Amino acid sequence: MTTTRSCPADAGSPAGAAGTVLVVDDDETVRDVVRRYLELAGYTVTQVGTGSEALRAHRERPADLVVLDLMLPDLDGLEVCRRIRAGGEASDVPVVMLTALGEEENRIAGLQLGADDYVTKPFSPRELALRVASVLRRAAPQADADGSASVVTDGPLTLDPAARTATLRGTGLALTTREFDLLWFFLTHPGTAFTRQQLLERVWGWDFGDQSTVTVHVRRLREKIERVPAEPARIATVWGVGYRYDAGLGA
């Protein structure tokens, strides 16, 4: 395991870049390139080459974000992601997966396990740094213009953007960064139908991308907030369009 200290972000770095990133890839060259770009963006980087090393590193010193390759020599990225999500403390850490072109099935499986974003190999290191910045920015507490943060409720469902917490009937919901963002967007835009592309742009900040990402996250949200996920009352499918949040129907 290698840990390097962060250096000051340059003028071209993503806004608000800061924090610690765990990079997991068995290709030393890839790890080194990713490390250098992330350090230039102001992050402290720890890099490891196997899934077991990744779990140990995150357990000993939880990172603010994990960049995780799917293809690893011992535990694959899907298993690492699953164990992180089931690990209790620090289990909600944002995960950006690295996937090879053509691994759509595994990519969707990663999203189903709770990955927040993915970048397809071969990738631009600068794009990856921007994706990391985007995910971490969305994971940070959100405040209103006056510095306060408004709690949003829909019956027994409550989201607190300052604390990044969600509860349903008094019980805390384990949401990933993207799940929280998507649910927040739905709650603050009730009654409006959005296409998957619009949700990619408004929630993920992507001008283009795989729209199945939205489908998977909606499915995961339904499993967590709907009484009967197969018959959703809150997040409705608008056939031929996308999705609509219907407030007041899920109590």
Side-chain angles (χ1 to χ4, degrees):
M1 179 175 69
T2 304
T3 303
T4 55
R5 295 184 61 82
S6 61
C7 58
D10 63 9
S13 299
T20 59
V21 179
L22 174 61
V23 177
V24 188
D25 197 300
D26 63 332
D27 188 322
E28 185 176 357
T29 300
V30 171
R31 291 200 310 269
D32 188 58
V33 170
V34 171
R35 173 190 59 78
R36 286 189 284 111
Y37 270 81
L38 290 177
E39 286 182 345
L40 286 173
Y43 299 100
T44 298
V45 179
T46 297
Q47 50 177 323
V48 298
T50 68
S52 56
E53 287 179 313
L55 292 171
R56 182 170 60 253
H58 185 61
R59 183 172 58 250
E60 294 174 353
R61 184 179 298 178
D64 295 318
L65 182 143
V66 178
V67 174
L68 178 62
D69 187 27
L70 268 178
M71 303 301 293
L72 296 170
D74 53 350
L75 303 173
D76 65 24
L78 294 177
E79 179 62 16
V80 172
C81 186
R82 187 192 68 77
R83 294 192 187 187
I84 286 176
R85 289 288 176 252
E89 188 175 354
S91 63
D92 60 348
V93 60
V95 174
V96 176
M97 280 195 161
L98 302 180
T99 71
L101 191 64
E103 288 182 339
E104 180 179 2
E105 193 171 309
N106 285 334
R107 183 164 63 245
I108 291 175
L111 293 171
Q112 290 173 330
L113 285 172
D116 297 276
D117 205 345
Y118 68 87
V119 176
T120 303
K121 292 182 176 181
F123 59 86
S124 159
R126 176 167 172 76
E127 178 193 358
L128 175 59
L130 290 171
R131 289 287 183 92
V132 166
S134 173
V135 172
L136 284 175
R137 184 167 56 248
R138 291 177 179 276
Q142 302 297 311
D144 295 336
D146 62 359
S148 64
S150 299
V151 174
V152 176
T153 63
D154 176 25
L157 177 62
T158 300
L159 264 69
D160 184 339
R164 294 290 293 190
T165 58
T167 59
L168 179 61
R169 303 180 191 93
T171 300
L173 295 175
L175 301 179
T176 67
T177 298
R178 293 298 191 190
E179 290 168 359
F180 187 98
D181 294 341
L182 182 58
L183 184 54
W184 172 262
F185 184 82
F186 277 139
L187 278 168
T188 53
H189 298 83
T192 301
F194 293 95
T195 66
R196 291 171 179 80
Q197 181 58 42
Q198 287 173 322
L199 291 170
L200 275 178
E201 294 171 358
R202 302 284 293 276
V203 178
W204 276 259
W206 299 356
D207 292 330
F208 60 91
D210 186 351
Q211 295 184 15
S212 65
T213 299
V214 176
T215 305
V216 170
H217 279 77
V218 167
R219 183 186 310 138
R220 286 178 57 85
L221 273 182
R222 283 172 169 167
E223 290 171 353
K224 296 179 179 182
I225 70 171
E226 301 281 7
R227 287 187 181 275
V228 183
E231 301 175 6
R234 285 191 169 94
I235 305 177
T237 297
V238 182
W239 299 108
V241 180
Y243 302 103
R244 181 188 67 241
Y245 188 87
D246 292 330
L249 297 182

